[in-house]
Amino acid sequence: LGSPLNVLFPQQIHENVTSFQNVFHEAGIQGSIYGTHKPNKSQAFVQELARTSSNIDVSSYGELVSALQAGFTGNRIGATGVKSERFLRLALQHDVVIAVDSFAELKQLTLLAGGYGSASVRILLRLCGFSSNHTVIRWKDTRFGIRLEDIDEAIDWCVDHPQLRCLGVAFHLSEATQNEKIVAIENSLVCLQKM
C-alpha cells in the first residue's frame, strides 16, 4: 500500500476496560477509567469506547467534537491540554470536567462561565513543580499545570468564585518514573488537604 498499515480491533477495548475494573474491585477502591483520544486516531476506537462505561480525555477542540459525535456525553469527558477559548466554550456547553493548567486559564474560565450562566463548572486544578524531602527529582518545565507555590492562590480563587466547583487535583508528568509518580501523588494529597 506504500505506507504503514494499522489493523485495529476496536472491540478489544471492552476487555481492556473490564481488566481495569477488576483491578479496582480487587483493590477495594473506586475509580474512573479514561481512554485518551490523542493517541487513538481511529474514530471506530472512540465510538467503541463510548459504548463502555469508561470516559475519555480530550486535549483539543477537534477531539472534543469527535468524542461528542462518537456518543460521549459531557459528564463522561475530561478536557486537558492547552485550551483555546473555542475549546473552553464547547466544554462549558457540555458540562465537561476541565483540568485547569494555569491561573490565567482559571480566570478566563471564570469569565466565560459567567457568560453561560453556568451554576457550576466542574474543574480539577492540575499541578506541577513537585518537591520532596526524600527523593531527588529533576522536574522539567511544562506548560501543563499550576505550580505548587501558586496553589493556595488558585484554591482561594475557587472559594471566591462559587460557580467553579473544584472536584480535586490532577497532575501531568513529563516522564512517568515510579519515583515521580510517588512524589506527585504525595504532593497532590497535601493540596487536597487544603481544599
Side-chain angles (χ1 to χ4, degrees):
L1 297 174
S3 66
L5 175 66
N6 294 311
V7 178
L8 303 174
F9 298 95
Q11 61 275 24
Q12 178 65 39
I13 192 62
H14 294 278
E15 186 178 321
N16 296 353
V17 168
T18 299
S19 294
F20 276 106
Q21 290 169 334
N22 289 342
V23 170
F24 289 157
H25 180 73
E26 290 166 14
I29 59 174
Q30 293 180 338
S32 297
I33 299 165
Y34 280 79
T36 306
H37 195 301
K38 190 178 195 91
N40 299 296
K41 305 300 184 196
S42 168
Q43 188 64 11
F45 176 83
V46 177
Q47 289 169 347
E48 201 65 37
L49 186 63
R51 292 183 185 100
T52 72
S53 61
S54 62
N55 305 309
I56 192 163
D57 172 271
V58 298
S59 61
S60 71
Y61 175 83
E63 289 177 12
L64 177 51
V65 170
S66 171
L68 292 167
Q69 289 175 341
F72 281 97
T73 54
N75 64 326
R76 293 177 56 207
I77 301 173
T80 59
V82 178
K83 295 168 218 67
S84 66
E85 183 175 324
R86 182 179 176 200
F87 184 16
L88 286 174
R89 285 185 186 278
L90 187 60
L92 284 170
Q93 289 172 348
H94 289 276
D95 191 30
V96 169
V97 174
I98 301 169
V100 177
D101 282 304
S102 69
F103 203 79
E105 189 175 286
L106 191 59
K107 289 180 179 179
Q108 180 186 23
L109 189 55
T110 305
L111 290 172
L112 290 173
Y116 285 96
S118 301
S120 70
V121 178
R122 298 178 309 137
I123 65 168
L124 297 169
L125 297 176
R126 189 145 71 154
L127 309 173
C128 70
F130 303 111
S131 62
S132 172
N133 293 329
H134 60 76
T135 304
V136 176
I137 300 290
R138 294 190 193 333
W139 296 105
K140 294 180 181 178
D141 277 342
T142 176
R143 60 188 174 167
F144 302 117
I146 299 168
R147 297 194 63 79
L148 281 180
E149 59 261 25
D150 299 326
I151 196 64
D152 290 336
E153 185 180 6
I155 292 170
D156 289 344
W157 181 271
C158 292
V159 170
D160 292 341
H161 297 85
Q163 71 268 39
L164 300 176
R165 192 171 119 216
C166 188
L167 304 176
V169 298
F171 55 82
H172 173 82
L173 298 175
S174 302
E175 296 180 25
T177 67
Q178 183 175 355
N179 286 342
E180 284 181 318
K181 289 177 187 176
I182 291 168
V183 171
I185 291 168
E186 287 173 346
N187 283 237
S188 295
L189 291 173
V190 170
C191 289
L192 285 174
Q193 291 174 341
K194 297 178 180 185
M195 300 178 128

